[in-house]
Amino acid sequence: MNFLVLVLSSQLLYYLLIAQTGVVGAFDSHIHDLYTLPIGGVLGTLLSAFWNHRHIRGELFGLFALQLLISWFYPYYSLSMLFSLGFVVGYTTPLLLYIFRSQSMGKLALGLGISYAVGTALYTYPFLERGAIAITLPLVSIVSLYFSSLQTPDTEEKKPFQWGLLGIMMLWIFADSALFETLSRSDGMDIWSRYTGLIIASHLIGVFLAYRYGKEFLSQTRLIWMLFGISYALYWLREPILLSIVYPIVISYYNVLLFQALIGIGKIRYIALSMVGVGWIAASAANGVALEHRLWIAAIVLGMFGIIYPWYMRRII
């Protein structure tokens, strides 16, 4: 087993089960109790963009240790602790993507496959009872990092930053998060507790398809747009079984390609700045849409993009 894969998987699981859904669920989605989490995330990500990273391994050990300390108090967090939690997650993610450049796409697909399978299996675990999960995941990260071999290049790649690429990434994250958060709050379409096995299988199919047939991220724009359109339609048509197949496939498919594109940026500063837009701005906007029960906004955004897509692609390619 490649231990760096376990580091990535455990951190992705921590973001999904603790930072994204666990804390939000434990606080009943009350924004006034949670607003310091994204603020800390943005500031942590920005600091990672402009900090001089001479000892990334040591930084990660320290961050994981702080994450473990914060997790010990889960879910009884003050605003300052939520800020710290967001800061750690925000600072850590760009470093993980940067050091993962030495790994193959197969290792990336494996890491995402593990995180989706385990995350789906544990997703229905009660929010207030995820303390053991919150502690276990940083421990896995620390132990796995200890046995990992980090091969960071001496110099960062100097490539022009593609703002169009970032725009597409933010669109998919926004569309995905808006539907995900809406489904999470929908009693009638609670697919995770009813079709857990089917969703896990669909996630793994999506990962495999991305690994085997997926190409460069932007070249898959039309396909991903169509799959998201079908997923939204299945939600409004109240077709939970079909949604449990199509939606996980598109999530896994586009995320493998998105992570590969982020890793391929090659410069920590640009990776981090991309994560501000992808991991915090787009996701936070989607949360607002879901909390206000206005998924139609995300559907309109997707529809408008479909109209301007041909012109947009000519500009960014």
Side-chain angles (χ1 to χ4, degrees):
M1 169 60 72
N2 186 316
F3 285 98
L4 198 56
V5 171
L6 290 180
V7 176
L8 179 67
S9 297
S10 60
Q11 286 301 299
L12 290 176
L13 282 167
Y14 190 89
Y15 178 78
L16 172 64
L17 295 175
I18 304 303
Q20 181 183 5
T21 61
V23 171
V24 174
F27 282 82
D28 294 323
S29 302
H30 294 157
I31 299 299
H32 61 276
D33 292 327
L34 297 164
Y35 69 92
T36 55
L37 179 66
I39 292 175
V42 170
L43 292 179
T45 308
L46 289 175
L47 181 60
S48 73
F50 296 100
W51 191 260
N52 187 6
H53 303 283
R54 295 182 180 273
H55 306 286
I56 292 181
R57 190 186 191 92
E59 287 183 70
L60 288 174
F61 271 123
L63 289 163
F64 294 156
L66 180 57
Q67 189 181 79
L68 177 61
L69 177 63
I70 295 171
S71 299
W72 190 264
F73 299 96
Y74 178 91
Y76 305 105
Y77 290 149
S78 63
L79 289 175
S80 60
M81 293 183 72
L82 286 172
F83 176 89
S84 300
L85 176 62
F87 183 90
V88 170
V89 172
Y91 192 103
T92 302
T93 305
L95 298 187
L96 287 177
L97 295 179
Y98 176 71
I99 65 175
F100 218 78
R101 283 196 301 162
S102 62
Q103 306 300 311
S104 65
M105 186 176 180
K107 295 296 191 298
L108 174 63
L110 176 61
L112 288 171
I114 293 172
S115 62
Y116 280 126
V118 176
T120 302
L122 296 177
Y123 181 75
T124 56
Y125 207 79
F127 300 126
L128 296 176
E129 299 176 16
R130 294 185 183 180
I133 298 174
I135 293 173
T136 300
L137 292 174
L139 283 174
V140 171
S141 296
I142 292 172
V143 174
S144 299
L145 180 63
Y146 178 81
F147 289 105
S148 297
S149 175
L150 301 189
Q151 300 175 1
T152 55
D154 295 330
T155 59
E156 295 180 328
E157 299 178 27
K158 296 182 179 180
K159 298 189 296 186
F161 185 76
Q162 296 179 276
W163 291 104
L165 176 65
L166 176 59
I168 297 293
M169 290 180 177
M170 291 180 66
L171 173 64
W172 299 150
I173 292 293
F174 175 74
D176 180 11
S177 299
L179 183 55
F180 176 82
E181 296 296 340
T182 299
L183 286 170
S184 300
R185 294 166 174 79
S186 174
D187 294 333
M189 293 290 286
D190 180 17
I191 60 177
W192 281 276
S193 62
R194 296 169 60 190
Y195 308 106
T196 304
L198 180 59
I199 292 174
I200 291 175
S202 299
H203 271 307
L204 296 179
I205 290 172
V207 170
F208 173 77
L209 291 175
Y211 169 70
R212 184 65 179 83
Y213 302 106
K215 300 178 182 179
E216 191 269 337
F217 181 75
L218 288 177
S219 68
Q220 304 296 293
T221 300
R222 187 186 301 273
L223 174 61
I224 296 172
W225 178 78
M226 291 175 59
L227 290 174
F228 266 121
I230 294 172
S231 298
Y232 272 66
L234 290 173
Y235 167 75
W236 273 305
L237 291 172
R238 317 299 285 184
E239 295 287 348
I241 296 179
L242 292 177
L243 183 62
S244 300
I245 298 172
V246 177
Y247 183 43
I249 288 177
V250 65
I251 292 175
S252 301
Y253 188 87
Y254 93 82
N255 266 306
V256 171
L257 301 182
L258 182 146
F259 272 83
Q260 184 186 37
L262 285 170
I263 293 169
I265 291 174
K267 189 177 179 63
I268 292 181
R269 178 169 299 179
Y270 290 158
I271 294 174
L273 293 177
S274 298
M275 288 306 302
V276 172
V278 172
W280 298 104
I281 295 178
S284 296
N287 283 337
V289 167
L291 289 174
E292 294 297 324
H293 305 289
R294 295 180 178 178
L295 187 62
W296 56 269
I297 294 177
I300 289 176
V301 171
L302 278 173
M304 291 177 62
F305 177 75
I307 295 173
I308 67 173
Y309 167 78
W311 173 84
Y312 187 78
M313 292 303 291
R314 286 197 298 267
R315 291 290 303 273
I316 66 177
I317 293 179

